[in-house]
Amino acid sequence: MRLFGSFLLGISLFCTAYILSSAEDTEDREFPLQMIVVSSRVEAEAILRHLETGKSFEELAKEYSVDAAGPAGGYLGMVKLSTLRPEVREALESMGSSQVTEIVQTPSGYMILKVLTEAERLEMEAGPIQKHQLAIAGGHRIATQVGGFGTVDTFFKRLNKPPAFYLDLPTVCETKLKALEIGIGRVQQFLADRATEELGSRERMGLIDLYEWQGQLSAYQGDLEEALKYFQKGYELSVAHDLQDLQLLFEEMIGATYLRRGQIEHCTTNHNPRCCLLPLGPEGRHTRGSNDENAIKHFLRFLEQKPDDLEVKWLLNIAYMALGKYPQDVPEKHLIPPAAFESAEDIGRFEDVAPSLGLDVFNMAGGAIMDDFDNDGFFDTVISSYGNCDPMHYFRNQGDGTFADRTREAGLADQLGGLNLIQTDYNNDGWLDIYVLRGAWELPMRNSLLKNNGGGTFTDVTREAGLAVPATATQTAAWADFDNDGHIDLFVGNEFGRSQLFHNNGDGTFTDVAYRAGVDRVAFTKGVAARDYDNDGYVDYYVSNWGEENFLYHNNGNGTFTDLARQLQVEKPIDSFPVWFFDYDNDGWEDLFVSSFVISLVAVVRSHLKLPTQAETQKLYKNVDGRSFQDVTGKVGLDRVLMPMGANFGDVDNDGFLDFYLGTGTPSFVALVPNILFRNHDGKYFVDISTSSGTGHLGKGHAIAFGDFDNDGDQDIFEEVGGAVPGDRYANVLFRNSGHRNNWISLRLEGVKTNRAAIGARIKVTVIGHDQARRSIHRVVSSGGSFGASPLQQHIGLGKARHIEALEIWWPTSNTRQTFHNVAPNQFLEIREFAKDFVKLERRALPSLKVQPKPKDLAHAPG
């Protein structure tokens, strides 16, 4: 019996291989087990002491276990005694329920196991592990794993590492590469050993596992030909021994791998701006059809056995699209109708101009910032990549229709890895700095605070600032001045670790005050948003967690916070990811958007097809009066099940109402779902315009930034596109806005007593429309959502209004207001705190787009 399929959870290959013995089943006794695995006896003895003092086994497993089951509290499910190694079996044979073993030394580490009572088992199975197995809150199966993400990360976690390796980025890179090399060598050695053995039933299962693991490792690296070879071997062995469930699994994995090969040939090797947009049109068709034909063959064989499987049916339709044979050649019983891909509205098409600008870097998932780092009036672009060996990229907007990659000159080439980026002016010197977040889904690693020196260079000041230790696993943080002292503070949300709240001391250093502030709760945090939701003058925080309720920390105004999420009924979705505050209906109260993150392609497709689903939808909470929220998700048409990772908001049609874009996907190759652009209809409802706008990209969507990069008066959308494994790289996109003939105003605010970046400053624009109706438009200075950073300069659509009756700015630290009357639209303004008048900025629109060649030393760099 297998403890878990690696295709489901990516459970540790080392742990599984050592725990499983080669003996045939001689004992059918089963235990519900939890396990903690550590690298040394000293660590194991310390954990036993913690357990003796009443500490939770589950929490200790989450915090210390190096096994992949650690994040699930070490829970292994029901395990047969006969499947365990002799020393483990011996330790368990005399154990009773709710008892803990002594330390068991095995080749894979030092184990401590706990036998659960029935009540404890049921409690564990109602927690994260069940959710992961049942596709996170809804009973649907999780997306079939193809790509090796969990397998390689398990090797990385298991490997003995140099002391404090997480503080040195090149060492992290080298360690990850070494882990991959060792993992591949170990699997190949296992395969060589099995080749000389007579295979019993258990050995056959082990060999099938090994074929799958080797296929996953090859897919991880992008060697899809090798992956197909091993998946095919696993399929043939499954057929030979009539293992029908495994046959179907390999059918789908082989089909998905062929489909990915087709994408690489067309979307990567022969990339064009429209090649990956759903539904795939003429430019999206694959010029070489053999891979897609093979994918179709395997998907059809799968569907002969399971005709109702929506995951494979969805992939089948995409494969037919890639051949240009959709819908006419899709078997009727498997056809997803064309109406499923239509948009109800059309505001015009966005064109991907990243290739013509040299911004179409092929990278993994990562962070992105669009902002003006050299104060020349044009928005630059900074990106990072999840790959531990991938450098950041800093693209300077030349102001002439070109971008230049200035990474090395800026001193950023040695900034490796990073799944998210956010910007601010932390030292109030007038230059925007960068914070890089690392370690998410992997291991604790140090983040980086990069000080902008003002001359086109950055300096890593993480250690000096007091932000390097302790290292954490994170991808989310928010800049905000929580105590209104004029210095911007930093909230960092961590995975299975305590949140951190770094108070800015005003001298270039930070102090973690999370415990004193009451915000140091442990959770698997995926998103943080900061905003003064009750307009009391103090910024509050919303913390989005995956696998448990979310937190809404209300600022008490005295340096402490109170969690009011349950009281205000905004604690869901339970499995959430990106989050933000925005005033979607322009009533002056900041509303709250919280995405759900469902890793089930079946659930997402059901929602896309408007079929019933029990999975959690995203949530939009309308802020009624600062003291209560109303769940309006269904009312505004956002009750969709999606899998967003990157997300941000902006006003794509300059009508004054905020729209938003979701970058979607999961690490598996099968998670081919379009990124989604929602248009806001006058603050009343939202409409999916992904198809008509040409933004329904099939690549894994990550960090998103809205900004007017070409200074032509409308917001464009930059998206970092790429998966979590090297074999799933994509080209980044910059969707250029075609314009909508609406008016606008762009405001660059500069704080004096308030933090200089003006984060948290509130803007109210009162206009009179062409119908003589007066309305107000509200904005708050921020970089937008929690995964991708838009410019701090605020672009505000005005609709058809011909002039601004009143422009009001509220500055939080000084608690002062400025009001300017009869302001002309369609201009760039700078407003300084306390100033009697604004300054008009001369900003020229970019000329025709041209590409600036990348320097040779960076053109071929990873990422």
Side-chain angles (χ1 to χ4, degrees):
M1 172 182 177
R2 304 194 309 174
L3 300 182
F4 294 110
S6 62
F7 57 92
L8 288 179
L9 296 176
I11 288 298
S12 167
L13 172 59
F14 287 147
C15 181
T16 305
Y18 281 125
I19 287 179
L20 290 174
S21 72
S22 61
E24 295 293 331
D25 289 357
T26 58
E27 174 64 66
D28 291 329
R29 190 177 173 195
E30 288 186 322
F31 292 89
L33 287 182
Q34 277 177 290
M35 177 176 69
I36 297 173
V37 184
V38 292
S39 302
S40 69
R41 180 171 288 276
V42 172
E43 291 176 281
E45 289 172 347
I47 288 170
L48 278 181
R49 288 195 295 272
H50 283 309
L51 290 169
E52 289 168 358
T53 62
K55 291 287 184 65
S56 162
F57 195 103
E58 180 180 357
E59 293 304 321
L60 290 170
K62 289 177 179 179
E63 187 168 358
Y64 296 108
S65 184
V66 297
D67 183 76
Y75 183 56
L76 299 176
M78 296 298 295
V79 181
K80 282 188 177 181
L81 190 64
S82 59
T83 63
L84 304 177
R85 289 182 57 87
E87 61 268 38
V88 180
R89 188 164 60 240
E90 182 180 350
L92 286 170
E93 279 177 338
S94 60
M95 297 293 293
S97 295
S98 203
Q99 291 186 334
V100 175
T101 66
E102 295 297 323
I103 299 168
V104 182
Q105 183 176 356
T106 74
S108 59
Y110 293 84
M111 292 183 183
I112 301 170
L113 297 106
K114 179 181 179 181
V115 180
L116 304 183
T117 65
E118 181 65 10
E120 289 171 332
R121 181 183 73 82
L122 292 173
E123 183 178 353
M124 288 301 301
E125 290 182 352
I129 194 70
Q130 184 191 47
K131 294 186 186 112
H132 286 212
Q133 287 178 301
L134 298 180
I136 309 299
H140 299 294
R141 67 181 177 90
I142 66 173
T144 300
Q145 173 60 39
V146 185
F149 175 71
T151 306
V152 173
D153 272 4
T154 294
F155 290 133
F156 187 31
K157 292 170 181 174
R158 295 287 312 142
L159 185 68
N160 288 328
K161 303 170 185 68
F165 89 104
Y166 48 82
L167 293 176
D168 183 69
L169 301 179
T171 302
V172 173
C173 165
E174 294 165 7
T175 306
K176 185 67 171 285
L177 293 176
K178 183 179 180 182
L180 179 60
E181 179 185 356
I182 290 174
I184 292 172
R186 183 64 60 89
V187 174
Q188 290 177 342
Q189 183 61 54
F190 286 156
L191 284 169
D193 292 343
R194 291 291 188 273
T196 61
E197 296 178 358
E198 289 290 331
L199 299 183
S201 62
R202 285 200 50 73
E203 286 77 11
R204 285 196 298 271
M205 293 298 295
L207 185 56
I208 291 172
D209 271 345
L210 290 171
Y211 286 144
E212 186 213 333
W213 286 326
Q214 183 59 52
Q216 298 282 8
L217 289 170
S218 300
Y220 175 91
Q221 300 173 91
D223 188 349
L224 301 189
E225 186 173 351
E226 191 77 357
L228 285 167
K229 181 177 76 173
Y230 283 102
F231 288 154
Q232 184 66 32
K233 286 177 178 290
Y235 172 77
E236 291 169 357
L237 192 56
S238 300
V239 171
H241 297 285
D242 196 27
L243 302 170
Q244 293 184 0
D245 286 345
L246 288 178
Q247 291 177 43
L248 288 175
L249 170 67
F250 282 109
E251 289 278 21
E252 182 180 359
M253 291 197 299
I254 292 169
T257 306
Y258 273 120
L259 189 57
R260 176 64 188 145
R261 279 185 73 178
Q263 288 179 305
I264 289 176
E265 286 183 353
H266 188 69
C267 294
T268 303
T269 307
N270 300 303
H271 179 69
N272 72 70
R274 294 193 176 190
C275 65
C276 296
L277 305 179
L278 193 71
L280 301 176
E283 300 93 338
R285 293 172 187 165
H286 296 183
T287 52
R288 301 176 184 176
S290 60
N291 286 305
D292 305 291
E293 289 168 355
N294 280 321
I296 288 170
K297 178 182 69 175
H298 287 280
F299 293 150
L300 286 175
R301 290 205 314 221
F302 181 105
L303 290 168
E304 286 176 6
Q305 301 298 316
K306 288 192 174 182
D308 296 327
D309 190 290
L310 269 179
E311 178 170 287
V312 175
K313 188 178 292 188
W314 176 267
L315 297 176
L316 175 73
N317 279 259
I318 291 177
Y320 273 109
M321 283 184 195
L323 288 175
K325 295 181 178 182
Y326 172 90
Q328 66 276 11
D329 287 358
V330 183
E332 184 176 355
K333 61 184 176 181
H334 301 318
L335 176 66
I336 293 176
F341 304 106
E342 295 174 357
S343 294
E345 296 179 356
D346 186 356
I347 67 166
R349 193 169 184 90
F350 290 71
E351 294 294 337
D352 177 15
V353 297
S356 62
L357 294 173
L359 296 176
D360 58 334
V361 175
F362 281 90
N363 44 229
M364 295 163 63
I369 304 171
M370 186 191 298
D371 216 324
D372 185 1
F373 288 95
D374 54 2
N375 290 340
D376 66 350
F378 294 97
F379 293 141
D380 313 301
T381 301
V382 180
I383 62 174
S384 65
S385 176
Y386 186 56
N388 301 110
C389 302
D390 292 358
M392 289 176 62
H393 284 280
Y394 170 46
F395 291 101
R396 181 178 183 270
N397 189 331
Q398 305 280 74
D400 61 359
T402 69
F403 282 78
D405 191 335
R406 305 288 296 175
T407 306
R408 193 169 298 282
E409 294 86 344
L412 298 177
D414 60 351
Q415 289 295 325
L416 308 178
L419 196 53
N420 202 2
L421 305 168
I422 52 174
Q423 82 278 28
T424 195
D425 181 0
Y426 81 93
N427 55 359
N428 289 335
D429 66 353
W431 300 93
L432 288 177
D433 314 296
I434 299 171
Y435 192 64
V436 187
L437 295 136
R438 299 187 178 91
W441 307 106
E442 291 188 303
L443 290 170
M445 300 175 195
R446 81 160 174 89
N447 301 325
S448 291
L449 178 63
L450 306 176
K451 178 181 177 293
N452 189 337
N453 301 316
T457 64
F458 293 81
T459 300
D460 189 332
V461 295
T462 316
R463 290 178 185 270
E464 299 91 316
L467 298 175
V469 179
T472 61
T474 182
Q475 66 177 41
T476 185
W479 293 104
D481 183 3
F482 77 86
D483 57 355
N484 284 337
D485 66 352
H487 302 290
I488 203 77
D489 310 301
L490 178 65
F491 190 112
V492 181
N494 296 310
E495 295 179 352
F496 289 134
R498 300 186 183 280
S499 291
Q500 298 161 295
L501 179 57
F502 291 103
H503 178 259
N504 189 331
N505 301 319
D507 59 1
T509 67
F510 293 79
T511 300
D512 187 357
V513 297
Y515 174 75
R516 186 168 73 237
V519 297
D520 62 335
R521 293 173 65 179
V522 175
F524 195 76
T525 297
K526 302 308 295 177
V528 176
R531 201 62 57 90
D532 178 9
Y533 76 85
D534 57 353
N535 292 345
D536 68 350
Y538 290 93
V539 71
D540 313 293
Y541 294 102
Y542 189 88
V543 178
S544 168
N545 302 314
W546 199 46
E548 62 184 282
E549 292 182 357
N550 304 319
F551 314 141
L552 176 57
Y553 290 122
H554 175 261
N555 192 330
N556 300 320
N558 59 2
T560 68
F561 294 79
T562 302
D563 180 12
L564 299 181
R566 279 193 178 184
Q567 179 178 325
L568 297 178
Q569 298 182 323
V570 295
E571 74 276 13
K572 296 179 179 178
I574 296 299
D575 295 288
S576 56
F577 209 137
V579 59
W580 63 71
F581 288 96
F582 69 158
D583 188 356
Y584 83 93
D585 54 358
N586 281 325
D587 66 353
W589 297 100
E590 290 291 297
D591 310 298
L592 177 63
F593 176 85
V594 194
S595 72
S596 61
F597 183 64
V598 177
I599 57 174
S600 167
L601 181 57
V602 171
V604 172
V605 173
R606 288 188 67 86
S607 180
H608 190 83
L609 300 179
K610 298 180 172 58
L611 298 174
T613 175
Q614 295 178 354
E616 286 185 302
T617 69
Q618 54 199 1
K619 291 290 186 181
L620 179 62
Y621 296 108
K622 174 180 169 58
N623 188 338
V624 178
D625 54 7
R627 296 186 299 274
S628 63
F629 287 84
Q630 179 184 0
D631 184 348
V632 297
T633 312
K635 180 180 178 181
V636 301
L638 291 178
D639 50 344
R640 295 271 299 271
V641 178
L642 300 167
M643 47 175 71
M645 298 172 290
N648 218 322
F649 58 85
D651 184 357
V652 295
D653 53 0
N654 277 342
D655 68 349
F657 292 93
L658 290 169
D659 317 295
F660 65 93
Y661 187 56
L662 301 179
T664 60
T666 70
S668 175
F669 290 171
V670 308
L672 290 175
V673 292
N675 301 320
I676 305 291
L677 178 60
F678 285 103
R679 183 193 182 203
N680 186 339
H681 249 279
D682 301 326
K684 298 175 182 176
Y685 60 92
F686 290 81
V687 176
D688 181 346
I689 58 170
S690 310
T691 298
S692 62
S693 62
T695 58
H697 202 290
L698 272 178
K700 307 297 171 54
H702 283 83
I704 291 166
F706 284 74
D708 183 7
F709 86 95
D710 50 2
N711 284 347
D712 67 349
D714 48 43
Q715 286 189 303
D716 313 291
I717 305 173
F718 181 85
E719 180 178 23
E720 168 110 353
V721 186
V725 302
D728 202 10
R729 295 179 185 269
Y730 276 90
N732 296 331
V733 299
L734 176 58
F735 289 116
R736 188 179 193 182
N737 197 324
S738 58
H740 305 282
R741 298 184 180 179
N742 283 332
N743 295 318
W744 52 274
I745 195 79
S746 184
L747 304 178
R748 183 181 185 274
L749 304 188
E750 182 180 318
V752 176
K753 189 173 183 181
T754 299
N755 68 91
R756 189 160 179 175
I759 291 175
R762 296 208 301 263
I763 302 167
K764 179 181 178 181
V765 180
T766 303
V767 298
I768 298 177
H770 65 284
D771 58 357
Q772 301 305 306
R774 179 180 283 103
R775 69 179 176 118
S776 296
I777 303 166
H778 296 265
R779 297 289 185 271
V780 177
V781 177
S782 76
S783 58
S786 57
F787 206 159
S790 299
L792 297 177
Q793 181 173 315
Q794 295 299 294
H795 179 99
I796 304 172
L798 305 175
K800 301 300 182 184
R802 296 179 180 176
H803 79 283
I804 296 171
E805 184 178 68
L807 170 59
E808 302 173 60
I809 313 294
W810 176 80
W811 299 88
T813 299
S814 63
N815 195 22
T816 59
R817 284 171 168 77
Q818 294 164 293
T819 304
F820 307 98
H821 296 282
N822 298 318
V823 179
N826 304 330
Q827 57 180 334
F828 299 87
L829 305 180
E830 181 177 81
I831 301 176
R832 198 164 188 259
E833 189 175 14
F834 305 123
K836 299 298 183 182
D837 206 350
F838 55 77
V839 176
K840 182 177 179 179
L841 300 173
E842 297 300 327
R843 295 283 191 261
R844 66 183 185 279
L846 293 184
S848 59
L849 304 178
K850 295 174 287 186
V851 65
Q852 178 89 355
K854 302 175 189 176
K856 289 183 179 180
D857 58 343
L858 286 176
H860 303 291

